[in-house]
Structures are given as structure tokens and as C-alpha cells.
């Protein structure tokens, strides 16, 4: 996706590229057809959330990226019976320093959450690490949506909130797999759902960032199973 995100590209075009890539590598795009308790199944293979869209943006031919936008690409796949889930918020062309800082802090909070994801700690340690870092920078933490356990199914217990207290929640044990995904707003944390019953936006219209890794809990430190390495390598070349 990083190679194709640029002004003039529609979110539908990105979805078609992602779907083809996933299937060509023998995997299944698990978002496509994902059931919705509020309405119809998700119609695409990735979520494309632009600017004030926090999560679950539905790709379409009318949403065309322009210089200064940000877009969160959330992707889930199943391969050999197991699921992976990851998200990255990309800059489209040149973005403002204010937006760049939002992305920086949100990504930092993800890795601080991962640092806290150690066997013997609790879920609240992850949640606190994310919340404390983002709120200290003046950002909002979305509370209605969480990370999650992951394995044979895309969404498993436990839920992994991005806010909480240290020492609270489920005890983390070696071998547990979870997806940590800070969803952070530049302004207030209040959100609403659009009429499509999927797209979740900030109420104040300010941008939101979303980064996600799938990890395995280990003694002494988590193992990160997804990777931003190729994306960040390309970003360094672009900027």
C-alpha cells in the first residue's frame, strides 16, 4: 500500500490492489464480508480511513486522496488457519507539522504499549502506557473501540482498551496473542458512526491516527508478529 498511496489515487483502487496481493499470496482477506451487528457485511478487503475517519472507512471510487491528507490502512488476513491484523496511518504528500506530530505520538504509544506487554503484567499496563503518552501530548483516546485477542479467529478475548490503570485487567501469559491498536484523535475523543453503519469519525472533524501490531506475549518482552519495516524504509526515501 505504501508504494501506491499518493494524491489522485482512490481508496477503491487501493482496496483492489490489496485484495489481489492478499489472494496471490494464498491468504484470505478476513475483513471482506465481515458481519456487522448494525447492518450489512463489510464490502472490502481493507479499511481506508481518511483524515477525520478514525476506523472502518469503506473504500470507494469517490474518495480520492489529495496532498496533505492522512489515511489509515487497516488490514486483516488469514493464512494457514491463523489470523494477522495490522494498521498504519500514512501521510499523503506533505502534511502539516501538527498532523505529523499526531502520527509520531500515536506510533510511539503503540510501542510503549508493546513494551508493557510482558508475561506477568496485566492488560491495564498496556492500556495505561498508551493513554498516558497520548493524553500527555494533549490528544484524545477513543474509548468505544479496542484492540483484541487474535488467533484462529480475527477477534478473540480479551479486549485490549487504550485507556486504563496499571495492574488492572487480565493477567498476561506467555503465548497469548493480541492486537494492540491505539486510536488517537487530535481533538476531543468523541466519535460518531456514519449512515453506512461502518465508518467511525471524530465529532469535531479533527484528524485521527491509528497504528496496530499483532504481538505474542513472552517472558521478558513481547514478540512483534507484524512489521512496519518496509513502510518505514519507503517513508525515509520519500521524506
Amino acid at each position: 500500500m505504501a508504494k501506491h498511496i499518493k494524491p489522485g489515487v482512490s481508496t477503491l483502487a487501493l482496496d483492489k490492489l490489496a485484495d489481489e496481493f492478499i489472494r496471490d499470496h494464498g491468504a484470505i482477506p478476513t475483513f471482506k464480508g465481515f458481519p456487522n451487528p448494525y447492518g450489512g457485511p463489510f464490502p472490502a478487503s481493507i479499511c481506508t480511513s481518511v483524515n477525520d475517519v478514525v476506523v472502518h472507512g469503506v473504500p470507494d471510487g469517490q474518495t480520492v486522496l489529495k496532498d496533505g491528507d492522512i489515511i489509515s490502512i487497516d488490514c486483516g488476513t488469514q493464512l494457514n488457519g491463523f489470523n494477522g491484523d495490522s494498521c498504519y496511518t500514512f501521510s499523503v504528500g506533505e502534511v502539516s507539522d501538527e498532523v505529523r506530530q499526531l502520527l509520531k505520538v500515536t506510533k510511539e504509544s503503540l510501542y510503549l504499549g508493546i513494551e508493557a506487554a510482558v508475561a506477568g503484567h496485566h492488560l491495564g499496563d498496556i492500556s495505561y502506557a498508551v493513554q498516558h503518552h497520548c493524553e500527555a501530548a494533549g490528544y484524545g483516546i477513543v474509548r468505544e473501540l479496542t484492540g483484541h485477542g487474535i488467533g484462529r479467529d480475527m477477534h478473540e478475548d480479551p479486549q485490549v482498551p487504550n485507556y486504563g490503570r496499571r495492574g488492572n485487567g487480565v493477567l498476561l501469559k506467555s503465548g497469548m496473542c493480541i492486537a494492540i491498536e491505539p486510536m488517537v484523535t487530535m481533538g476531543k475523543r468523541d466519535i460518531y458512526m456514519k449512515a453506512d453503519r461502518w465508518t467511525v469519525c471524530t465529532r469535531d472533524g479533527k484528524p485521527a491516527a491509528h497504528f496496530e501490531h499483532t504481538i505474542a506475549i513472552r517472558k521478558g518482552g513481547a514478540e512483534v508478529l507484524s512489521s512496519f519495516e518496509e513502510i518505514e524504509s519507503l517513508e525515509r526515501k520519500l521524506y
Side-chain angles (χ1 to χ4, degrees), residues 116-126 157-159 167-178 217:
V118 180
H121 286 191
H122 291 79
L123 272 180
D125 297 316
I126 300 172
D157 290 333
Q159 291 189 350
N168 275 16
V170 172
L171 177 68
L172 301 176
K173 298 179 181 180
S174 185
M176 289 175 65
C177 286
I178 59 173
I217 306 295

Side-chain angles (χ1 to χ4, degrees), residues 10 13 22 33 41 57 71 89 110-111 129 158 177 181 213 219 235 239:
S10 74
I22 292 165
I71 178 171
T89 303
L110 169 61
Y111 285 103
C177 286
E181 48 179 319
H213 269 317
K219 293 178 182 176
E235 282 187 335
Y239 304 113

Side-chain angles (χ1 to χ4, degrees), residues 77-224:
T77 64
Q78 186 183 90
L79 182 67
N80 300 329
F82 289 95
N83 288 274
D85 193 3
S86 185
C87 184
Y88 197 93
T89 303
F90 298 87
S91 301
V92 183
E94 285 296 321
V95 302
S96 69
D97 290 343
E98 190 179 24
V99 168
R100 198 181 295 275
Q101 182 67 10
L102 171 68
L103 304 191
K104 177 178 179 289
V105 170
T106 305
K107 192 197 287 188
E108 287 171 350
S109 77
L110 169 61
Y111 285 103
L112 289 170
I114 291 170
E115 283 180 20
V118 180
H121 286 191
H122 291 79
L123 272 180
D125 297 316
I126 300 172
S127 306
Y128 174 84
V130 173
Q131 179 183 14
H132 179 74
H133 188 67
C134 294
E135 290 186 344
Y139 300 134
I141 292 287
V142 173
R143 300 192 176 211
E144 294 84 354
L145 302 155
T146 70
H148 50 90
I150 187 168
R152 292 287 185 184
D153 293 319
M154 175 61 66
H155 296 121
E156 299 181 352
D157 290 333
Q159 291 189 350
V160 185
N162 294 306
Y163 68 97
R165 291 166 53 193
R166 286 180 289 195
N168 275 16
V170 172
L171 177 68
L172 301 176
K173 298 179 181 180
S174 185
M176 289 175 65
C177 286
I178 59 173
I180 302 174
E181 48 179 319
M183 290 159 271
V184 181
T185 62
M186 184 179 285
K188 295 181 178 179
R189 63 178 178 84
D190 305 289
I191 58 173
Y192 73 96
M193 184 183 289
K194 284 190 172 182
D196 64 9
R197 311 304 290 171
W198 280 109
T199 308
V200 176
C201 303
T202 60
R203 280 204 174 274
D204 60 13
K206 292 186 178 181
H210 180 200
F211 289 87
E212 177 182 18
H213 269 317
T214 296
I215 69 165
I217 306 295
R218 304 289 188 209
K219 293 178 182 176
E223 180 181 357
V224 182

